[in-house]
Amino acid sequence: QVQLVESGGGLVQPGGSLRLSCAASRSIISMNAMGWYRQAPGKERELVVTITSGGTTNYAASVKGRFTISRDNAKNTMYLQMNSLKPEDTAVYYCQAIRFGTYYWGQGTQVTVSS
């Protein structure tokens, strides 16, 4: 089993920045892949970015150049640095991990971009 806990969401003005964290209950080195997804009201959950165990990343076109995924293996934590935020980035952001073919999700953290 893997528990994932997101934090760092909040209210930010357009053009601002936030950093989300995803703390895992097990070593993230053991994860086959991890990623961030988001779900806006009335919309389906969508991919933001994924990262494989080898470090290969895949960003959604809408966030490329503005968001950056990173990992701290010593802290078993994954991060999402979000810059130049736009109102359309408003959503609940979820952390995902894949370990031995099983998918795990965090509870989500709300990000609201508004003036």
Side-chain angles (χ1 to χ4, degrees):
Q1 282 285 354
V2 178
Q3 282 76 48
L4 303 172
V5 179
E6 302 99 332
S7 62
L11 173 65
V12 63
Q13 292 187 343
S17 298
L18 280 176
R19 188 178 78 157
L20 305 183
S21 299
C22 172
S25 61
R26 302 181 70 108
S27 170
I28 62 173
I29 295 175
S30 69
M31 309 301 174
N32 302 109
M34 297 186 74
W36 290 95
Y37 290 73
R38 66 187 181 185
Q39 187 166 19
K43 295 187 176 181
E44 294 186 353
R45 191 172 297 188
E46 64 176 8
L47 177 147
V48 176
V49 58
T50 58
I51 184 167
T52 67
S53 58
T56 300
T57 58
N58 178 35
Y59 288 89
S62 60
V63 307
K64 194 173 293 185
R66 300 187 298 123
F67 291 11
T68 303
I69 191 171
S70 63
R71 299 175 298 192
D72 186 332
N73 294 336
K75 294 183 178 180
N76 293 330
T77 300
M78 177 178 67
Y79 302 98
L80 182 66
Q81 178 66 44
M82 305 187 294
N83 299 328
S84 302
L85 283 161
K86 304 175 181 180
E88 50 264 44
D89 294 318
T90 295
V92 177
Y93 283 70
Y94 296 92
C95 170
Q96 182 203 65
I98 305 171
R99 185 172 186 270
F100 299 132
T102 300
Y103 289 69
Y104 300 92
W105 293 92
Q107 81 289 350
T109 185
Q110 176 70 47
V111 172
T112 302
V113 184
S114 175
S115 56

